[in-house]
Amino acid sequence: EEHPFNHLIDTLKDGDRKYFNPQKLNDARYNKLPLSIRVLLEAAIRKCDGFYVKEEDVHNILDWSEQQNVAEVPFPPARVLLQDFTGIPAMVDLAAMRDAVTKHGVDPGLVNPVCPTDLIVDHSLQIDLNKWWELELIRNKERLQFFKWCSKAFKNVNVVAPDVGAVHQLNLEYLSRVVQESQGFIYPDSVVGTDSHTTMINGLGILGWGVGGIESEAVMLGQPISLTLPQVVGCRLVGSVNILATSIDIVLGITKHLRQAGIAGKFVEFFGPGVSQLSVPDRTTIANMCPEYNATVSFFPVDHVTLKHFKQTNFTEEKLELLEAYLKAVKLFRNYEDSSEDPQYSEINLSSMVPHVSGPKRPQDRVAVSSMKEDFQSCLNEKVGFKGFHISKEKQESLVPFLHGGQEYELAHGSVVIAAVISCTNNCNPSVMLTAGLLAKKAVEAGLIVKPYIRTSLAPGSGMVTHYLNTSGVLPYLSQLGFEVIGYGCATCVGNTAPLPETVSEAIKEGDLVACGVLSGNRHFEGRLCDCVRANYLASPPLVVAYAIAGTVSINFEKEPLGVTSEGKEVYLRDVWPTREEVQQIEQDKVISSIFTELRARREKGNTFWDNLECPESVVFPWDPKSTYIRSPSFFNKLCKEVQPPQSIENAHALLFLGDKVTTDHISPAGSIARVSAAARYLLSKRLTPREFNSYGARRGNDAVMTRGTFASIKLQNRFIGKPGPKTVHIPSGQTLDVFEAVERYQRDGVPLIILAGKQYGSGNSRDWAAKGPYLLGVRAVIAESFEKMHKNHLVGMGIAPLQFLPGQSADSLELCGKEKFTITLPEDLSPKQILTTSSGKTFSVTTLFDSEMDVAFYRHGGLLRYVARTML
């Protein structure tokens, strides 16, 4: 009754559904707003409470043309999406928060997510076991029991059991609503998720993007996302798609264009007649890649193509009528053919898109397939760097023989040893998966094979992919080439590849070969797939199959045969590549509608293993002190109601001295646990065998493992050491130690720690442990030339100060060796963007990267988690 915007409430024709109609503001500015900004506006109107969301925020969003890049506004999304890797630490934190408030006499049952939260158990897949339930019974039963406890103990938490599908796939197929309905009110669906592929949902006209685990916990507990009102870049698509180009080629072409346009932190909306040529799976594939060009979202408003897609999925006629009526009433429906609606936008011509791969070390380094052989040769010649391996001329023609399965083979530079079609962006798009399947069919029929030593795998994002590959008749041909379905979840992309055959690894080491992995994902940092595979290329699924058949990336598909049959016949890629018309016909006839029929059947059938799994019934989780998977973290130690003023950081040592582009892969542990690591020593002390170590991802609920794994990457370049590895110098003694061993000494002596870094600190995947780990190691501040925004937010959320050198300055320009003692003076009235004085024998200044007073509040409280817990006291 006291809502400040009650006068905007309207009803649809039946009168039963109410909604806030921004058009009733009678403000001409609304009709000029980009559609993504209209979603922000509706959320601000609906959630305006005078505390988290104020009337001023609503007017700032309405005045977007003047306030973009200026006003800080809140965004309360409709739901939160978690996968198990990042979901388990979030839920562990909430369970620990229940413990903390109980000690202060507060009802632990009050600790619940306010925002509806879906948690999908999908990321624990390991390639060395084919059945997820074997994997879980052997190694992950504790985690599943904890997830099941969460589903019962917490309100507003929906846990989707394993073996259903990957988080980004289910977000599209099952969890998306487009229009939400609650207590008689309807409003746009929107989501923030801890999966890096959350942005795929923008292809359905649903606003959403990826956040870190720390930010997601804040949203779960009722706090809106805070963002600077973004600029919105419009991209007008024109022209016709090249007959051989897949949606992946379109994605990479658009990625290159937008990266060159410099759109970091902005929203992108797609317009123009070219959009109507793109299916919904095409759009979601394009939307998925926006983190690669640093946009926040790539938004495709709902249009007639989207509606047609919904009719073939799990939307009822009643829901479709409601959806269309509401979106048109609030002007969130888009007609791409009506040019009168188009502002002036940069133009991208679809006909310019040709097949590319990306690599060998970074996703932004695109290589046209036609130039692949020459580019790989160049990489061998170049000095060691983002594109180079510096192999001497006399060793570039090396051939190393080895035995596998009783037969002799040879490896050379460029030999493919890993080929993975994985649960990533591509698997939401039937067209590219079908192209891969049809290519496999034609290759098998032509008599081609994949050499048996190549580690091939097919890890679909959902059982629906298996269903339509099987329905279309291509799955057996993929299997014949070695691409067997090994399960549903992230596998190769997150470092969960089983070890290569021993003879293959030995041959690679003997010849110091640049062996290659080819995968259909969007993450492939060096050393992530396997420590002996130095060159990793991202490619579309059909190209993964093609390079697996070829056995090398050093090939020109236009001039050289893909393979030779047992009869000696040469077969070229053009001979087995399916036409776009073939693929689209099968997609329409056998895929779309059958997907959702099967999806409903699978969900109705349920999961016997999950249903029979026992879990505690208590309100407070009964922690098992013997558990090596689930452990109560120490974030809430010494929690009290009083807030202390920020303490200056005095006589700190630099734990690490890092260069440019340190990624979260370098900071936060991922993949398998090395047997010589600090985490391994901890697990051995718990009487586990190396086979029982599992992965860092599976152990994100154990802070002891994760802390020991922080900065444990074999690719970490610490300038104190001068070569890659998880080592540092303990400055007082001068000894070279594992990072965790050095930390233990510093903590014993009560020495605060900082980190020195260069540009783009924290780029790459969103990982909450990339901030939680350093916090538990005792890191008080990171001083860098620049930060990746999301990671910077995580540091703030954990009570670590992100400090930036002044423009034009760096550790080198200030002649810092890193071994000085650092004192950073923090005033009691700490404020956003404040200049602080730092001394290290010499005095220099740094800027605090607190964007708002809320950031300062989080830092003053010792992080977001402690801030939320204190508000409950």
Side-chain angles (χ1 to χ4, degrees):
E1 290 76 10
E2 298 178 359
H3 196 287
F5 293 102
N6 265 347
H7 61 288
L8 301 184
I9 293 178
D10 213 337
T11 60
L12 289 178
K13 293 178 181 179
D14 59 13
D16 293 335
R17 271 88 169 214
K18 298 179 180 179
Y19 64 96
F20 285 97
N21 189 350
Q23 289 200 91
K24 296 182 74 173
L25 290 166
N26 294 320
D27 194 314
R29 291 176 296 178
Y30 180 74
N31 292 331
K32 296 180 181 179
L33 291 178
L35 275 70
S36 54
I37 300 299
R38 296 181 197 183
V39 177
L40 296 182
L41 178 65
E42 189 283 336
I45 290 172
R46 177 168 38 87
K47 289 289 188 176
C48 187
D49 60 1
F51 182 66
Y52 285 127
V53 184
K54 302 178 176 64
E55 290 187 54
E56 177 187 1
D57 298 318
V58 172
H59 293 295
N60 281 338
I61 298 173
L62 187 61
D63 194 29
W64 167 80
S65 62
E66 297 296 327
Q67 294 296 326
Q68 56 185 298
N69 279 346
V70 177
E72 192 80 14
V73 298
F75 173 52
R79 54 190 174 93
V80 173
L81 186 70
L82 304 175
Q83 40 92 334
D84 58 348
F85 270 13
T86 47
I88 196 165
M91 302 314 294
V92 164
D93 289 345
L94 292 184
M97 192 181 295
R98 282 194 168 185
D99 290 347
V101 300
T102 300
K103 293 175 183 178
H104 288 269
V106 176
D107 178 7
L110 297 177
V111 178
N112 289 293
V114 175
C115 187
T117 300
D118 295 298
L119 193 158
I120 293 86
V121 183
D122 77 323
H123 270 56
S124 57
L125 188 65
Q126 294 279 337
I127 289 180
D128 54 343
L129 288 172
N130 290 334
K131 298 180 183 294
W132 72 265
W133 49 88
E134 292 177 1
L135 174 73
E136 302 301 349
L137 281 170
I138 293 172
R139 298 187 285 191
N140 291 336
K141 187 175 180 180
E142 293 175 38
R143 296 189 316 115
L144 287 181
Q145 287 177 320
F146 176 72
F147 283 138
K148 193 159 186 181
W149 174 82
C150 292
S151 70
K152 293 184 175 183
F154 291 111
K155 298 176 183 177
N156 284 331
V157 173
N158 169 42
V159 177
V160 179
D163 203 33
V164 176
V167 55
H168 38 280
Q169 192 80 32
L170 291 179
N171 192 26
L172 297 169
E173 294 174 346
Y174 180 53
L175 302 174
S176 63
R177 298 291 182 268
V178 187
V179 172
Q180 292 273 12
E181 184 170 0
S182 177
Q183 298 179 331
F185 265 87
I186 57 176
Y187 50 94
D189 190 11
S190 58
V191 60
V192 292
T194 57
D195 185 77
S196 61
H197 308 294
T198 303
T199 52
M200 296 173 83
I201 202 67
N202 292 277
L204 294 178
I206 299 171
L207 188 65
W209 61 86
V211 297
I214 298 167
E215 290 169 302
S216 69
E217 290 179 51
V219 176
M220 289 162 62
L221 293 171
Q223 297 188 46
I225 292 288
S226 179
L227 73 158
T228 303
L229 197 57
Q231 286 183 275
V232 181
V233 176
C235 284
R236 178 176 171 83
L237 301 185
V238 299
S240 299
V241 179
N242 184 297
I243 191 170
L244 291 180
T246 68
S247 61
I248 307 306
D249 301 311
I250 298 171
V251 167
L252 295 177
I254 290 174
T255 298
K256 178 182 179 182
H257 178 95
L258 293 176
R259 184 180 288 119
Q260 292 171 344
I263 56 170
K266 300 174 184 177
F267 284 12
V268 177
E269 283 191 14
F270 289 90
F271 297 98
V275 179
S276 298
Q277 295 182 54
L278 303 179
S279 67
V280 167
D282 286 338
R283 298 177 189 190
T284 57
T285 309
I286 292 168
N288 174 76
M289 290 294 279
C290 74
E292 300 302 333
Y293 42 82
N294 291 322
T296 303
V297 298
S298 288
F299 191 67
F300 290 84
V302 174
D303 70 334
H304 70 280
V305 173
T306 327
L307 290 181
K308 182 179 178 181
H309 174 80
F310 293 149
K311 288 178 182 178
Q312 295 176 304
T313 62
N314 57 345
F315 282 64
T316 64
E317 286 296 328
E318 180 185 5
K319 176 63 183 283
L320 282 170
E321 290 176 7
L322 173 68
L323 182 155
E324 186 173 358
Y326 171 71
L327 293 179
K328 287 182 175 179
V330 294
K331 291 197 172 182
L332 285 174
F333 191 86
R334 180 74 168 133
N335 180 3
Y336 291 109
E337 304 297 330
D338 185 356
S339 60
S340 66
E341 296 184 16
D342 294 351
Q344 293 296 313
Y345 288 131
S346 58
E347 189 167 291
I348 300 177
N349 194 321
L350 295 179
S351 60
S352 66
M353 310 303 175
V354 296
H356 281 74
V357 296
S358 182
K361 301 181 183 182
R362 301 188 304 174
Q364 61 263 44
D365 295 326
R366 299 176 68 229
V367 185
V369 172
S370 58
S371 304
M372 185 63 172
K373 186 171 186 176
E374 293 80 3
D375 189 81
F376 183 75
Q377 183 64 44
S378 173
C379 290
L380 295 181
N381 292 325
E382 290 290 330
K383 64 180 182 180
V384 175
F386 293 130
K387 288 277 289 183
F389 298 101
H390 198 57
I391 305 297
S392 62
K393 292 287 185 182
E394 61 270 18
K395 292 184 177 181
Q396 289 183 13
E397 302 300 323
S398 297
L399 292 175
V400 182
F402 69 97
L403 289 176
H404 179 80
Q407 187 171 345
E408 185 173 295
Y409 298 94
E410 289 182 330
L411 288 182
H413 293 292
S415 290
V416 173
V417 294
I418 295 175
V421 177
I422 61 176
S423 60
C424 204
T425 166
N426 305 311
N427 293 342
C428 77
N429 193 325
S431 67
V432 289
M433 294 299 289
L434 288 172
T435 302
L438 288 170
L439 188 149
K441 180 176 183 292
K442 294 187 176 191
V444 169
E445 291 172 345
L448 299 181
I449 62 169
V450 172
K451 294 180 179 66
Y453 62 82
I454 297 176
R455 180 70 71 185
T456 50
S457 61
L458 171 57
S462 163
M464 292 307 98
V465 180
T466 306
H467 171 71
Y468 69 66
L469 289 176
N470 198 33
T471 300
S472 58
V474 298
L475 189 59
Y477 297 98
L478 285 164
S479 297
Q480 285 185 60
L481 293 180
F483 291 93
E484 296 275 1
V485 175
I486 53 90
Y488 306 99
C490 283
T492 304
C493 196
V494 293
N496 286 352
T497 305
L500 296 176
E502 190 171 336
T503 54
V504 173
S505 298
E506 289 175 353
I508 293 172
K509 293 174 184 176
E510 179 186 337
D512 191 26
L513 299 177
V514 180
C516 300
V518 186
L519 63 154
S520 63
N522 71 345
R523 286 289 187 272
H524 66 329
F525 298 117
E526 185 179 8
R528 192 174 196 183
L529 272 61
C530 179
D531 58 7
C532 64
V533 179
R534 289 149 72 182
N536 300 312
Y537 288 92
L538 304 181
S540 64
L543 284 175
V544 172
V545 176
Y547 279 113
I549 295 171
T552 179
V553 300
S554 185
I555 181 173
N556 185 325
F557 285 130
E558 295 178 1
K559 299 178 180 179
E560 299 175 71
L562 184 64
V564 180
T565 69
S566 58
E567 291 80 22
K569 179 184 177 182
E570 294 183 341
V571 180
Y572 288 80
L573 181 60
R574 58 179 173 268
D575 299 328
V576 294
W577 191 277
T579 67
R580 192 173 180 84
E581 288 74 20
E582 282 182 89
V583 175
Q584 289 179 339
Q585 190 65 47
I586 293 178
E587 184 177 4
Q588 288 298 318
D589 293 348
K590 301 200 173 183
V591 175
I592 299 297
S593 59
S594 65
I595 281 179
F596 293 93
T597 301
E598 175 69 11
L599 187 65
R600 280 192 292 272
R602 286 170 63 89
R603 297 226 164 75
E604 290 169 2
K605 181 179 178 181
N607 186 303
T608 303
F609 173 82
W610 175 260
D611 294 340
N612 294 335
L613 190 67
E614 296 181 356
C615 71
E617 299 290 336
S618 55
V619 177
V620 176
F621 186 71
W623 307 97
D624 180 358
K626 297 180 181 179
S627 174
T628 58
Y629 281 100
I630 308 296
R631 193 175 112 129
S632 182
S634 59
F635 300 132
F636 302 102
N637 288 358
K638 300 179 182 179
L639 182 70
C640 59
K641 294 182 179 180
E642 295 76 21
V643 184
Q644 300 296 321
Q647 301 294 311
S648 293
I649 303 169
E650 297 183 353
N651 295 319
H653 275 304
L655 175 63
L656 300 161
F657 188 9
L658 305 172
D660 295 341
K661 296 183 179 179
V662 173
T663 72
T664 51
D665 267 24
H666 295 118
I667 306 168
S668 174
S672 59
I673 297 173
R675 298 188 181 193
V676 296
S677 64
R681 290 193 291 274
Y682 167 80
L683 294 173
L684 288 171
S685 74
K686 299 296 182 180
R687 300 187 176 181
L688 298 184
T689 66
R691 178 170 174 76
E692 297 171 299
F693 284 176
N694 210 327
S695 66
Y696 282 113
R699 293 190 179 275
R700 284 190 179 182
N702 185 324
D703 63 305
V705 172
M706 299 304 288
T707 304
R708 286 166 171 78
T710 303
F711 297 113
S713 169
I714 60 172
K715 296 298 179 182
L716 183 71
Q717 293 276 1
N718 181 6
R719 293 174 63 177
F720 286 152
I721 302 300
K723 61 181 180 179
K727 301 283 186 179
T728 195
V729 172
H730 178 251
I731 295 170
S733 67
Q735 287 184 282
T736 298
L737 304 170
D738 284 345
V739 173
F740 187 76
E741 290 177 322
V743 164
E744 286 184 307
R745 290 200 186 183
Y746 284 126
Q747 289 185 343
R748 185 176 61 230
D749 297 335
V751 177
L753 298 172
I754 67 166
I755 291 170
L756 293 174
K759 301 180 182 69
Q760 298 180 36
Y761 181 79
S763 58
N765 287 46
S766 159
R767 292 208 181 130
D768 56 344
W769 272 107
K772 288 179 176 179
Y775 172 83
L776 292 178
L777 291 179
V779 174
R780 297 282 308 279
V782 178
I783 305 177
E785 292 177 61
S786 64
F787 291 81
E788 195 280 330
K789 184 176 181 180
M790 185 176 293
H791 182 63
K792 182 267 298 180
N793 291 341
H794 289 182
L795 294 175
V796 173
M798 284 312 305
I800 297 175
L803 306 176
Q804 187 166 291
F805 289 109
L806 296 185
Q809 293 187 350
S810 66
D812 290 337
S813 72
L814 294 169
E815 298 181 346
L816 300 177
C817 70
K819 297 183 178 181
E820 303 89 345
K821 287 187 176 181
F822 294 85
T823 294
I824 304 168
T825 304
L826 298 175
E828 289 191 15
D829 58 345
L830 190 63
S831 61
K833 305 294 185 182
Q834 189 169 0
I835 303 294
L836 301 180
T837 299
T838 304
S839 61
S840 58
K842 62 185 70 176
T843 300
F844 61 96
S845 296
V846 292
T847 305
T848 63
L849 295 187
F850 301 129
D851 290 332
S852 65
E853 292 295 342
M854 185 65 76
D855 280 358
V856 174
F858 291 159
Y859 180 74
R860 288 171 61 89
H861 283 260
L864 181 149
L865 297 174
R866 294 173 66 85
Y867 172 85
V868 173
R870 264 201 190 93
T871 61
M872 301 198 67
L873 305 185

